[in-house]
Amino acid sequence: LFGGEVYGVNPRASNANISLYNSNDTWEWDGQLWVRRNPANRPPPLTQFGITYDSDRGRVVVFGGYKTFPPNYSSGTAQINNDVWEWDGAAWASRTPPSDLRVMETRQSRYAFYDPVRRRVGLPIVSNNLSPSVAPSLTTVLWWDGTRFLRGNSSTLDDIAGTVITD
């Protein structure tokens, strides 16, 4: 479990007011309890990011979302980003590829899934319609292979049906 929005006293704030703030906490389930991890290197506080487990490489992959900044890491400082981070169970590593290998649409997707057939993380990219009367539609799927993004040719959800789970 990583990051997200927290309602409470922001440990980075200069006051003790209860408010909504963004977190970069890392938690692991040990089978009985949630255990907080405190790695030295970690992603910045994020919200609305994609996260999934790459079972082939044994990594949790976090991408995109809204990154918040000091001093209080509040939603008022949020900027959309294309960062890629991986957790190996002991440490976070920034895996954001150089700009020439990066596909900018990654930031538009809040979903991620692992495809065991392709042995890659899939990022379904949907259109960002602002009209509430127009449903978002899948435009493509980007595949993360641990080094770079590859553009898929999926144009319908049928191409990835059965591999995407969301709540």
Side-chain angles (χ1 to χ4, degrees), residues 8-91:
V9 176
N10 184 343
R12 297 176 195 90
S14 59
N15 58 53
N17 296 339
I18 295 176
S19 63
L20 191 64
Y21 67 94
N22 298 330
S23 169
N24 66 344
D25 290 349
T26 300
W27 294 81
E28 288 186 327
W29 178 251
D30 71 1
Q32 295 181 327
L33 299 170
W34 283 102
V35 178
R36 185 175 182 182
R37 303 295 182 200
N38 289 305
N41 189 35
R42 65 179 93 185
L46 296 171
T47 61
Q48 300 181 34
F49 51 86
I51 185 170
T52 193
Y53 182 69
D54 180 335
S55 59
D56 193 55
R57 296 184 313 110
R59 304 280 191 269
V60 172
V61 180
V62 169
F63 69 94
Y66 287 90
K67 181 180 352 184
T68 54
F69 297 93
N72 294 332
Y73 298 91
S74 66
S75 58
T77 65
Q79 291 181 352
I80 202 163
N81 81 96
N82 286 324
D83 295 350
V84 178
W85 288 83
E86 292 184 345
W87 172 254
D88 65 5

Side-chain angles (χ1 to χ4, degrees), residues 153-165:
N153 59 4
S154 298
S155 59
T156 69
L157 286 175
D158 293 338
D159 295 337
I160 56 173
T163 58
V164 177
I165 299 172

